Amino acid sequence: MIPGFVYQGTPSRVVFGTGTLARLPEEVDRLGLRRVLVLSTAQQEREARDLAARLGNRAAGVCAGAVMHTPVEVTARAVEHATGLGADGLVSLGGGSSIGLGKAIVLRTGLPHIAVPTTYAGSEMTPILGQTRDGIKTTQREPGLLPGTVLYDVDLTLSLPVPMSVTSGMNAIAHAVEALYARDGNPIVTMMAEEGIAALLRALPAIVGNPTDAAARSDALYGAWLCGICLGSAGMALHHKLCHVLGGTFDLPHAETHTVVLPHVVAYNARAAASAIGRVGALMGTADAGTAMQALARRLGAPTALRDLGMPEAGIERAAELAVRSPYWNPRAVDRDSLHALLARAWAGAPPMID
């Protein structure tokens, strides 16, 4: 018998396919927008300006100031820019940094937001904003933060560098893994989580072998979409708490941090969430999902140690302290000593440990 549950569907409009970027002008028109501000990181400014040119007089300008972890001072400048241009909407092009900046502007202005993802981060499918102030990253969830339209174009991911593809994909897998044991999980989210993980497990090795494999890129983007829905529907637990602490406090790269930490959290929760972690293991063909997840990362050429991302060993204690100060719900209770041990293994790149 299926137990009773509550499922709140995400109300985004999704346009998925190949060559769908050509439909962006009609999506802008559909929302009745006349002056949209295009958001990106500095690294994608050229693509953002090309996109603004494609929009013609529908574009108010470009703001290429998005950075990781959405610092509040960066958002303040972007809001001032949008206001000065008289923008009546936003188009964010890129991954979690650009889409996160879009959400932060929405929080402060209420402007309509169209997201055009170019990575597998999944932020576009969540009503969650993570932002950093004075080295502390906090999150908030509000329905209005969810982009109203998401335009997925597989072609935009064909040039995504392989290392970023891998870590971005592992980041997406982490969303789905936590959704399997989240407090607000339900059978619908479980189906999407398993399908999303399976799609990415197929796609990532194929992308490493052939970065322009359109079928693999389509699988990866589809999987990332599903994993993003899972995160937006079922919430977060220990894995995301640790990654938010590590990113906000030590400015570690977002997707790489998720890639390193995930196997250790899977092992930490393996007994307390045996059914959920067992589903992950079944998808990977093993009873030890944490070890398999780390082996997959290593096989794909991804980092497996926090020290390789620039985290100081002396920061382990600080990270453990911050994580227990305001913890997210987790199927297994957390304490500073246990998290210190987990983070020490992740820092060194040691094998995950089930205890």
Side-chain angles (χ1 to χ4, degrees):
M1 174 181 288
I2 297 174
F5 63 90
V6 174
Y7 172 71
Q8 177 66 54
T10 56
S12 285
R13 172 180 169 86
V14 173
V15 180
F16 186 100
T18 298
T20 52
L21 189 62
R23 296 176 58 179
L24 180 60
E26 70 183 73
E27 292 299 320
V28 170
D29 291 343
R30 192 184 65 84
L31 294 175
L33 304 178
R34 295 291 178 265
R35 290 181 58 79
V36 297
L37 178 63
V38 179
L39 307 173
S40 76
T41 61
Q43 293 79 9
Q44 288 188 290
E45 182 172 3
R46 186 182 67 179
E47 291 85 352
R49 295 199 177 280
D50 288 344
L51 185 56
R54 182 190 290 260
L55 289 170
N57 60 12
R58 300 176 182 85
V62 171
C63 175
V67 295
M68 287 191 307
H69 310 306
T70 321
V72 293
E73 60 272 17
V74 171
T75 300
R77 291 194 295 269
V79 169
E80 185 177 353
H81 191 179
T83 302
L85 292 171
D88 63 356
L90 306 167
V91 174
S92 56
L93 173 72
S97 297
S98 299
I99 294 168
L101 178 58
K103 291 179 178 180
I105 297 172
V106 169
L107 179 67
R108 292 157 174 83
T109 66
L111 291 175
H113 182 194
I114 299 173
V116 184
T118 62
T119 74
Y120 308 130
S123 175
E124 66 281 354
M125 292 310 300
T126 80
I128 302 166
L129 169 63
Q131 50 189 352
T132 305
R133 184 192 299 272
D134 299 328
I136 301 296
K137 188 170 184 178
T138 58
T139 62
Q140 59 192 104
R141 175 190 289 262
E142 292 188 17
L145 293 175
L146 187 71
T149 300
V150 180
L151 195 155
Y152 288 104
D153 188 338
V154 175
D155 289 345
L156 296 179
T157 66
L158 294 175
S159 59
L160 186 65
V162 167
M164 189 179 299
S165 300
V166 169
T167 55
S168 180
M170 295 293 287
N171 181 10
I173 288 173
H175 301 332
V177 169
E178 288 226 309
L180 287 170
Y181 55 67
R183 180 168 50 184
D184 297 328
N186 58 66
I188 308 304
V189 168
T190 293
M191 285 193 300
M192 290 189 287
E194 290 184 312
E195 176 73 1
I197 293 169
L200 283 156
L201 290 177
R202 289 194 306 269
L204 295 180
I207 289 170
V208 170
N210 178 10
T212 59
D213 183 335
R217 291 290 188 178
S218 181
D219 268 352
L221 199 57
Y222 167 70
W225 169 26
L226 291 174
C227 293
I229 295 174
C230 292
L231 175 62
S233 301
M236 300 176 287
L238 175 62
H239 171 81
H240 282 82
K241 180 62 183 184
L242 290 176
C243 291
H244 290 159
V245 166
L246 294 169
T249 304
F250 303 101
D251 199 32
L252 301 188
H254 183 78
E256 290 86 344
T257 302
H258 277 269
T259 302
V260 172
V261 171
L262 178 61
H264 298 279
V265 176
V266 166
Y268 183 88
N269 284 329
R271 298 194 194 281
S275 176
I277 301 303
R279 290 175 182 273
V280 179
L283 290 168
M284 303 189 77
T286 178
D288 186 350
T291 297
M293 201 69 70
Q294 188 182 68
L296 173 65
R298 188 176 291 113
R299 190 165 69 249
L300 297 176
T304 56
L306 291 174
R307 64 183 175 189
D308 295 337
L309 304 183
M311 182 181 174
E313 186 173 11
I316 294 172
E317 186 167 348
R318 172 69 170 157
E321 178 187 340
L322 288 172
V324 298
R325 183 180 297 175
S326 56
Y328 298 167
W329 180 90
N330 191 66
R332 175 182 170 184
V334 299
D335 62 83
R336 187 165 63 178
D337 289 344
S338 295
L339 295 192
H340 190 287
L342 183 159
L343 288 165
R345 290 193 293 272
W347 182 86
M353 182 180 294
I354 299 174
D355 55 13

